[in-house]
Amino acid sequence: MRAFIAFLSALAIVLLASGPASATPVPVQLIAETGTAKVVPTPIEIHMEAFARNATNGANLNNVLVSFRTTTGNVLCTDHTDTGGKASCDAEVDQTQLALVLLLGFDAVVTGTADYGPATAHNSVRIV
């Protein structure tokens, strides 16, 4: 009987130490702003921004990794959101990438983690 009680005590300690089961990741609403392309002087640079919010309550999400990609999936640049939920970056691109992004736009992507669900947003790029 003592061995059984010792076993139950050890099991309780292990269960308490491991904490509660993982919570469901926070659903993310991702909003991509219109990008801008600076073509003169070279190098060609595209500026992109996105905002990540909690899709349930609208709160800004801090420290979420956002990757900015071509529509074919090539990563142009990445950034973590700030306290305002904003991620932004400037990507130097070649003429082929510029043409692709001007024609098809770009995607802002949160791949999802244990804390945050996946999200994708799309927008266009204009020349300034």
Side-chain angles (χ1 to χ4, degrees):
M1 185 65 157
R2 283 185 177 170
F4 182 70
I5 292 173
F7 169 76
L8 289 178
S9 296
L11 181 62
I13 290 170
V14 168
L15 290 175
L16 290 174
S18 65
S22 298
T24 303
V26 172
V28 176
Q29 175 191 28
L30 195 61
I31 302 163
E33 297 291 319
T34 300
T36 56
K38 178 184 65 86
V39 296
V40 176
T42 56
I44 301 168
E45 192 173 87
I46 298 173
H47 177 78
M48 295 161 284
E49 295 180 358
F51 293 87
R53 295 191 175 95
N54 180 318
T56 304
N57 64 18
N60 295 328
L61 297 177
N62 184 30
N63 202 33
V64 174
L65 180 63
V66 178
S67 63
F68 296 90
R69 305 176 182 190
T70 64
T71 56
T72 58
N74 294 327
V75 175
L76 298 168
C77 54
T78 62
D79 189 30
H80 285 85
T81 56
D82 61 18
T83 55
K86 178 181 173 182
S88 65
C89 63
D90 297 311
E92 287 187 17
V93 298
D94 60 28
Q95 291 176 347
T96 302
Q97 289 174 317
L98 175 65
L100 180 66
V101 173
L102 286 174
L103 288 171
L104 302 175
F106 71 96
D107 293 326
V109 178
V110 172
T111 56
T113 65
D115 297 322
Y116 301 107
T120 302
H122 179 83
N123 212 326
S124 61
V125 173
R126 62 183 173 84
I127 295 176
V128 291

